[in-house]
Amino acid sequence: GVGGKVQPMSVAAVDDELTGNSPSLNIYSDLDETSSDRRGSGIQSRTGNELGETFTLTLRGHTTDPIEFNAADTTMKTRLEALPNIGTVDVKRSAPSPDLGYTWTVSFLSNPGYFPVNSRNLDLLTPNVEYLSGNSSTVTVDAIEEGTEPLSGYFQLKYSDGNYTKATDELEKDISAADLKAELEELDIVGAVDVSRTTNVDGYTWLVTFNG
């Protein structure tokens, strides 16, 4: 429906078909009428509510540049990714409400120091609406989906030569290629090995080559 600060109604001269002794039709809006214009009526026109100006968002002491009340999803993405403690985000913006309010859905795809890249929960962004215009205008931040648990813990590897099975000590979740090589070669049924490690968005891959 129609809401917010709408354009005032008007009546074109060709549509005014009132008859009688000097009839007139007056339309008032935005408090532009006097008490005499209302002829004793206690009902007064008023200005519709409409958002305007800017707000900011803060995460752990780092604050964005001003964000327009109707910022495009690309603008919101740019403002957030400019913060040093935010990596990559995906932003989708809703259509406007009657009073020009919007909803931005922000997905945090990566953050500095978080691994895997979409793990851990962020603190909620803190809005500052000091410069946002409109009656009772505000910004609300809610969490829709929690992040996954960060990669943690240990693992072990076992090797069997057909007669004996030996296991490594507990290995760190992100053990380096050099340290994994050393751990494997500590097993007396394993000879020399070469190890390489690749970092993926969701963990690590170790390639082990047995050289005899």
Side-chain angles (χ1 to χ4, degrees), residues 38-192:
R38 295 196 302 273
R39 299 189 178 186
S41 171
I43 299 175
Q44 187 177 19
S45 69
R46 59 182 180 179
T47 302
N49 189 31
E50 185 176 80
L51 285 172
E53 302 302 330
T54 63
F55 63 96
T56 61
L57 295 170
T58 298
L59 179 63
R60 293 188 173 184
H62 298 283
T63 301
T64 64
D65 288 337
I67 302 169
E68 296 79 6
F69 77 97
N70 60 349
D73 46 11
T74 52
T75 300
M76 179 67 78
K77 175 180 172 70
T78 299
R79 296 289 190 274
L80 290 173
E81 289 182 350
L83 299 184
N85 54 349
I86 290 181
T88 305
V89 298
D90 178 69
V91 181
K92 292 181 173 59
R93 194 194 74 173
S94 70
S97 66
D99 54 1
L100 298 185
Y102 294 87
T103 297
W104 293 268
T105 302
V106 180
S107 299
F108 292 83
L109 306 180
S110 68
N111 256 28
Y114 288 22
F115 191 83
V117 293
N118 61 348
S119 67
R120 295 175 59 178
N121 294 325
L122 284 173
D123 293 342
L124 288 179
L125 294 164
T126 303
N128 184 328
V129 297
E130 179 181 358
Y131 297 107
L132 196 64
S133 63
N135 297 331
S136 302
S137 297
T138 189
V139 174
T140 301
V141 178
D142 294 311
I144 298 175
E145 184 177 347
E146 302 292 346
T148 60
E149 289 296 322
L151 187 64
S152 61
Y154 303 87
F155 66 96
Q156 284 183 291
L157 294 176
K158 292 182 178 180
Y159 178 78
S160 175
D161 64 358
N163 296 310
Y164 301 98
T165 299
K166 295 294 182 70
T168 65
D169 292 333
E170 290 184 336
L171 308 175
E172 288 283 352
K173 64 185 184 305
D174 55 353
I175 187 172
S176 69
D179 287 345
L180 181 56
K181 172 182 169 67
E183 289 287 344
L184 289 172
E185 291 180 346
E186 280 289 319
L187 304 180
D188 56 16
I189 59 174
V190 174

Side-chain angles (χ1 to χ4, degrees), residues 2-46:
V2 177
K5 183 174 171 54
V6 300
Q7 293 296 315
M9 295 183 294
S10 62
V11 179
V14 294
D15 295 325
D16 186 354
E17 298 182 1
L18 293 175
T19 60
N21 185 17
S22 300
S24 64
L25 177 63
N26 301 303
I27 298 176
Y28 301 104
S29 63
D30 299 332
L31 306 174
D32 63 358
E33 77 275 15
T34 66
S35 57
S36 61
D37 290 330
R38 295 196 302 273
R39 299 189 178 186
S41 171
I43 299 175
Q44 187 177 19
S45 69
R46 59 182 180 179

